[in-house]
Amino acid sequence: MDTRKTKTTIWSAAFISVFIANFATNMGQYMMNTLVPKYVNSLGATASMVGTVTSMFAVTALLIRPVTGPAFDYFSKKKLYMLAIAVICLAFMGYSRSVSVEGMMIFRLVHGIGMGCTAPLGLSIATDTLPADKTASGIGVFSIGQAVATAIGPSIGLSLSEKIGYQSTFFIGAMVMLAACLLCLVIREKKPEHREPFKISLDRIIAVKALVPAAMYVFLSVSYSCINSYMAIYGGERGVDQIGLFFTAYAVVLLVSRPLSGALMDKKGLAAAMVPACILFAFAFFLVSIAHSLPMFLAAGAVSALGFGASQPAIQALCMRSVPPSRRGAAANTNYTGADLGNLLGPVIGGRVAEYAQGVTGSTAEGYAWMYRFMMIPMAVALLIFLVNRKQLIRNYVQPQSEGAPSES
């Protein structure tokens, strides 16, 4: 009998199909993400109002969590994924017709309904296709689609808005989301061996064992959300015309760091990537705060990618490995509940800090610089949560839950 280990690979037809659909979805999202705050700012909104509108999507994303967790573990994830992308397409169409801050707020809420579903569904579908010993590296590769979209999406969106205006660019974004919806048709959904009954209850909404990594994700997202919300405005205040290249530098480095960090975690362990990643990401915000030229912004983008590129997939892998396969929908829901809370709080807190600092310094640019320095604090908290719970988190990562494991209480 051949006792050699069978060599496993992440590259199945199912994984490739969801990878492509995820890339198209993120492409539409990142084309729009930098435009929404900039467009709202052009309508005369204050920094705190820009933050409020930008974060509004997280309100509805959180409100639908009681339904999405149980739905992900019962209904067809592929069909739900298509429906969620269609909702985002509708929101982008609404952006293209909005000429007021109030109108943008309404469609931002619609956007949140779709956003509350697409990310956890994509992650859950992708995780279902991966071998157990390739979870972290597979998730790292899966997120490359997001990295590429981050590299080219913001620059394309900003460039188009300068040439054809905000409304027309929003319409193009809607067409990209429509294409993403159609691409979902090629996804080969894996039929689960065990399907949880549809029941709206706390244990179907939240996976208890995923709460600690989700708490880390709250603070990670608080900091990260201020990059998307204010970077284009801050770069303009610093006199940097091609600030979209910040996202390109970020994504180019992310393309390398994510798969490497995932492989590092699978081989060397969780702490080998998580601790330096949190420190690097915090340092990136300091670099952003002192940046006055394009090269400085590019350097800050590269460092932030090294930090975020390792910490985010590590947290996601912790969430998904903490539960058996039949509970991955709830785990993904828990993971992105943390992200939604961070996305809700981050821009609002950042906007308030920026406004206060602008009043103290008398400079809009310095106000945003103070805000980015402040965003080092949430990253310190995320690292502290990891260190306090280090032993349990590493145990869950090394010994992922199986269907035969005891159920959560």
Side-chain angles (χ1 to χ4, degrees):
M1 181 183 291
D2 189 353
T3 59
R4 290 175 299 179
K5 290 184 178 180
T6 302
K7 191 172 183 179
T8 57
T9 178
I10 66 172
W11 295 108
S12 63
F15 179 81
I16 293 171
S17 61
V18 70
F19 177 92
I20 294 171
N22 179 66
F23 165 72
T25 302
N26 278 287
M27 184 65 187
Q29 296 273 44
Y30 280 96
M31 282 179 63
M32 301 299 104
N33 276 352
T34 51
L35 290 189
V36 169
K38 196 171 182 184
Y39 179 50
V40 173
N41 184 66
S42 74
L43 295 174
T46 62
S48 60
M49 182 56 70
V50 169
T52 299
V53 176
T54 302
S55 66
M56 285 298 288
F57 78 90
V59 174
T60 42
L62 284 167
L63 289 176
I64 65 170
R65 291 297 178 199
V67 176
T68 56
F72 293 167
D73 285 329
Y74 182 75
F75 296 106
S76 165
K77 292 175 184 175
K78 172 182 173 178
K79 292 178 181 177
L80 290 175
Y81 196 33
M82 292 182 68
L83 178 61
I85 295 172
V87 170
I88 296 176
C89 178
L90 175 64
F92 287 180
M93 289 293 292
Y95 292 161
S96 73
R97 305 296 296 173
S98 297
V99 292
S100 66
V101 173
E102 292 77 13
M104 291 297 293
M105 290 180 71
I106 291 171
F107 287 105
R108 196 68 172 155
L109 291 170
V110 175
H111 189 174
I113 297 173
M115 278 285 288
C117 298
T118 52
L121 278 169
L123 177 62
S124 184
I125 294 171
T127 304
D128 286 344
T129 71
L130 294 170
D133 62 337
K134 299 287 186 181
T135 304
S137 55
I139 290 174
V141 171
F142 177 70
S143 62
I144 286 178
Q146 179 181 346
V148 174
T150 306
I152 60 179
S155 295
I156 291 175
L158 290 169
S159 179
L160 283 173
S161 68
E162 292 172 359
K163 292 180 172 63
I164 63 176
Y166 288 106
Q167 276 79 14
S168 296
T169 307
F170 286 135
F171 178 79
I172 291 174
M175 294 301 100
V176 173
M177 296 309 295
L178 178 60
C181 187
L182 296 176
L183 281 169
C184 290
L185 293 171
V186 304
I187 293 177
R188 299 178 185 178
E189 187 174 17
K190 181 180 179 181
K191 187 176 181 180
E193 297 178 4
H194 174 73
R195 190 187 294 273
E196 293 285 345
F198 181 74
K199 177 184 176 183
I200 298 178
S201 60
L202 185 60
D203 68 318
R204 295 290 184 264
I205 300 166
I206 297 295
V208 174
K209 291 184 178 179
L211 282 176
V212 172
M216 294 173 60
Y217 210 174
V218 171
F219 293 97
L220 183 74
S221 297
V222 164
S223 297
Y224 180 75
S225 63
C226 288
I227 292 178
N228 283 330
S229 298
Y230 298 109
M231 188 58 66
I233 300 171
Y234 177 53
E237 292 294 334
R238 287 298 198 197
V240 178
D241 295 329
Q242 295 180 307
I243 192 61
L245 292 176
F246 170 91
F247 298 98
T248 303
Y250 167 88
V252 169
V253 176
L254 200 66
L255 282 169
V256 177
S257 68
R258 275 200 165 164
L260 288 180
S261 63
L264 177 65
M265 283 184 282
D266 282 336
K267 292 180 180 179
K268 300 295 184 181
L270 187 65
M274 181 62 76
V275 174
C278 289
I279 294 172
L280 278 172
F281 197 41
F283 181 61
F285 285 94
F286 174 74
L287 291 179
V288 168
S289 73
I290 63 172
H292 288 77
S293 64
L294 182 58
M296 292 179 70
F297 275 105
L298 296 181
V303 174
S304 65
L306 289 172
F308 190 74
S311 56
Q312 186 204 34
I315 291 171
Q316 291 177 332
L318 278 171
C319 281
M320 303 309 286
R321 291 169 75 100
S322 66
V323 299
S326 64
R327 296 279 289 142
R328 282 175 179 164
N333 199 52
T334 306
N335 174 72
Y336 283 101
T337 296
D340 289 340
L341 282 170
N343 288 327
L344 176 62
L345 297 172
V348 176
I349 295 172
R352 295 289 176 84
V353 172
E355 275 192 10
Y356 173 79
Q358 287 165 14
V360 172
T361 64
S363 167
T364 301
E366 284 304 309
Y368 285 116
W370 278 37
M371 178 200 70
Y372 282 117
R373 292 187 193 106
F374 180 87
M375 286 302 150
M376 297 171 69
I377 297 175
M379 287 309 307
V381 176
L383 179 58
L384 180 62
I385 292 173
F386 174 77
L387 294 175
V388 170
N389 298 277
R390 181 172 178 267
K391 290 183 178 179
Q392 182 60 49
L393 291 173
I394 292 175
R395 188 179 301 118
N396 287 345
Y397 183 80
V398 174
Q399 299 176 334
Q401 295 290 301
S402 63
E403 290 292 359
S407 60
E408 298 169 90
S409 59

